[in-house]
């Protein structure tokens, strides 16, 4: 991926409006966003597409649908779950470039918005290293 390649983002939640501000920011920064309503549908999407970043408003509580963290662990995908709080959401980092983030601090809405640009740069840098392993060494 070079700097002009789009980062693929999957948004998982009840409605696209839940992600309105984040989606605008992501698309302004060269990301391609897709929306699904459930983790079950997200699982199906991963059978056909690769995503660099997944933002999910609710972890699955369905016994028939293992968590996205299980599916994406070991991949190059970054995964955040949002936990609803009194005002907005707190974002919980679950995977960073496929590595588990146990013990990572929860990000409040403003902190998450501020960290999105750094996160996108990290994803782009990692993708460039993956495409050019000799330069990455």
């Amino acid at each position: 991926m070079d700097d002009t390649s789009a980062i693929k983002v999957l948004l998982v939640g009840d409605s696209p409006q839940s992600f309105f501000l984040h989606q605008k920011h992501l698309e302004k920064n060269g990301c391609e966003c897709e929306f699904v309503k459930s983790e079950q549908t997200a699982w199906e999407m991963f059978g056909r597409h690769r995503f660099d970043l997944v933002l999910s408003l609710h972890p699955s509580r369905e016994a028939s649908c293992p968590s996205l963290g299980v599916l994406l662990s070991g991949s190059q995908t970054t995964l955040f779950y949002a936990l609803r709080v009194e005002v907005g959401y707190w974002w919980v980092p679950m995977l960073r470039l496929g590595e588990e983030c146990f013990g990572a601090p929860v990000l409040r809405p403003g902190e998450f918005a501020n960290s999105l640009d750094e996160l996108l740069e990290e994803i782009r840098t990692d993708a460039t290293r993956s495409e050019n392993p000799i330069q990455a060494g």
Side-chain angles (χ1 to χ4, degrees), residues 8-81:
K8 309 287 191 264
V9 180
L10 183 62
L11 308 170
V12 183
D14 298 325
S15 75
Q17 289 78 20
S18 302
F19 293 102
F20 181 74
L21 294 176
H22 292 306
Q23 184 172 352
K24 277 184 78 163
H25 182 80
L26 290 164
E27 289 174 347
K28 180 180 137 196
N29 284 285
C31 298
E32 291 178 5
C33 298
E34 290 193 47
F35 172 80
V36 296
K37 286 189 172 192
S38 71
E39 286 196 7
Q40 181 66 41
T41 307
W43 270 80
E44 295 166 11
M45 293 288 291
F46 282 108
R48 298 185 303 266
H49 306 284
R50 182 176 104 29
F51 293 93
D52 303 297
L53 175 61
V54 177
L55 304 179
S56 180
L57 292 186
H58 44 73
S60 177
R61 297 195 187 351
E62 302 170 30
S64 63
C65 180
S67 97
L68 289 174
V70 171
L71 173 68
L72 299 172
S73 183
S75 70
Q76 291 300 304
T77 302
T78 296
L79 168 66
F80 280 86
Y81 279 119

